[in-house]
Amino acid sequence: MVVDDDRVTRTVVSTILGMEEQYHVLEAENGREALEIAHVARPGLMILDVAMPELDGFGVCKAIREDPELAAMQVLILSGRGDKRDRDLARQMGADAYLTKPFTSVGLVEVVRQMAGE
Amino acid sequence: MGERDEVAEDQLLTYARELNRVFRSERALTAELDDQTRRLHAANLAAVRTLALVVGARDEAARTHLERTVDLALRLTDRIDPPLARDGSLGCAFLLHDIGEMAIPEAILRKPGPLTPDEWEVMRTHPEIGARILADMEFLGDAIEVVRSHHERWDGDGYPEGLAGEDIPLGARIFSVCDAFDAMTSDRPYRGALPFEHAVEEILTGSGTQFDPEVVKAFGDLVAELPTLRGGPAQG
């Protein structure tokens, strides 16, 4: 599932992964919606933008790790800032991987494949 | 523009550039594939041409007749239906039209005089035999029907099936005009060549009976414009 309040980036990610036959991609516009959908659809991987209003990507990641039903889910953090603080924070919040925008589709697919153990 | 918008724009640009690269390499691949397909097609045509000349051109005269007839038929096709003329398989079918003559005894094929009814019966099997010989050449497609139908007549009195009018494939209607024309302007074992104007006249006379009137009309326009064909009776 890809979670980003920016429609353009959300669509780019969803399009890139959607071209891979093995993935079915869900979308959410914000952190709260993401958690609601995750409870029902149980995606294997959550791709989270950092900068979102209300509940940001780190917050969603933390909530996932603290929720026994969702804790096993893989989390990939997408950040617009390539600074070390974001990367460290992502690790602290329990994210499995971290990618800086702008990313290439090849880079994105590679990270997602690694996370899926392919 | 805010920082978030810039990030989104950067991401979109990155993706657009990537798509552009993919598009270019795909286009290069397609071009390469097209090129290979063209070469393969050219090799096919060359093989067919060789086959046609080996079988259909027993001597220099037959070879000249074959090449001239095919050339004329392709020009005429280009006038009537340009896309059909560009389809290489039609030219192949023209070249191979008499391949069924392989199965006709030499004594009948080269008989210096009129054939007996029995000999005609044998001779009339060659279009069907030709179509059967070529049936496995998939790339010829519908053009094989030209081989089968090149002795059909517009009025239905031809062979092998007695097809009439537009039931006869266009390629065959075109070819029969050119074949008859070139036969008339060539020396044959039992008669000399007819003068050019006389042969044209014969074709015009056959409009609506032996030949498709539309094809004959286009043929008349074509020969009027072709200086190379107007220099008198062709040799060979």
Side-chain angles (χ1 to χ4, degrees), chain B residues 85-101:
Chain B
R86 282 194 292 276
D87 177 0
S89 61
L90 188 72
C92 287
F94 287 167
L95 275 167
L96 292 166
H97 70 283
D98 270 341
I99 192 170
E101 288 189 355

Side-chain angles (χ1 to χ4, degrees), chain A residues 5-6 16 51 102-103 105-106, chain B residues 4 7-8 11-12 14-15 18:
Chain A
D5 60 316
D6 173 54
I16 291 170
F103 48 82
S105 61
V106 174
Chain B
R4 288 167 48 70
V7 171
Q11 181 59 62
L12 195 58
T14 303
Y15 189 46
E18 210 179 351

Side-chain angles (χ1 to χ4, degrees), chain A residues 3-4 6 15 17-18 20-22 32 34 36 38 43 50 52 55 61 71 76 81 87 95 99 101 107 109-110 117:
Chain A
V3 190
D4 197 326
D6 173 54
T15 305
L17 294 179
E20 304 291 306
E21 271 177 28
Q22 67 271 39
R32 252 173 249 296
E36 276 169 31
V50 169
M52 291 188 289
L55 191 56
C61 185
L76 166 61
R81 302 184 297 260
R87 191 176 288 268
L99 200 59
K101 295 182 195 174
V109 170
E110 194 179 334

Side-chain angles (χ1 to χ4, degrees), chain A:
Chain A
M1 178 155 75
V2 49
V3 190
D4 197 326
D5 60 316
D6 173 54
R7 191 178 57 84
V8 171
T9 309
R10 198 171 67 232
T11 308
V12 167
V13 173
S14 150
T15 305
I16 291 170
L17 294 179
M19 286 195 292
E20 304 291 306
E21 271 177 28
Q22 67 271 39
Y23 305 133
H24 175 65
V25 188
L26 299 172
E27 295 183 25
E29 283 182 34
N30 59 58
R32 252 173 249 296
E33 191 187 40
L35 289 171
E36 276 169 31
I37 297 175
H39 271 285
V40 181
R42 299 296 171 94
L45 168 68
M46 184 89 89
I47 299 173
L48 291 164
D49 179 43
V50 169
M52 291 188 289
E54 292 184 61
L55 191 56
D56 70 7
F58 298 127
V60 179
C61 185
K62 189 161 177 284
I64 287 172
R65 292 297 175 240
E66 286 170 356
D67 185 329
E69 281 185 36
L70 303 180
M73 192 182 294
Q74 295 266 323
V75 175
L76 166 61
I77 295 280
L78 292 183
S79 168
R81 302 184 297 260
D83 63 34
K84 192 168 177 301
R85 232 174 355 169
D86 263 13
R87 191 176 288 268
D88 289 345
L89 201 51
R91 197 173 297 140
Q92 271 173 36
M93 294 299 157
D96 299 283
Y98 178 92
L99 200 59
T100 307
K101 295 182 195 174
F103 48 82
T104 64
S105 61
V106 174
L108 175 66
V109 170
E110 194 179 334
V111 170
V112 169
R113 277 193 181 150
Q114 274 171 12
M115 296 176 78
E118 288 165 20

Side-chain angles (χ1 to χ4, degrees), chain B residues 223-236:
Chain B
V223 292
E225 285 173 23
L226 286 180
T228 50
L229 284 175
R230 306 193 62 176
Q235 299 303 305

Side-chain angles (χ1 to χ4, degrees), chain B residues 164-181:
Chain B
E166 294 188 356
D167 285 346
I168 308 165
L170 177 60
R173 280 181 264 149
I174 291 170
F175 191 79
S176 67
V177 168
C178 301
D179 195 27
F181 178 75

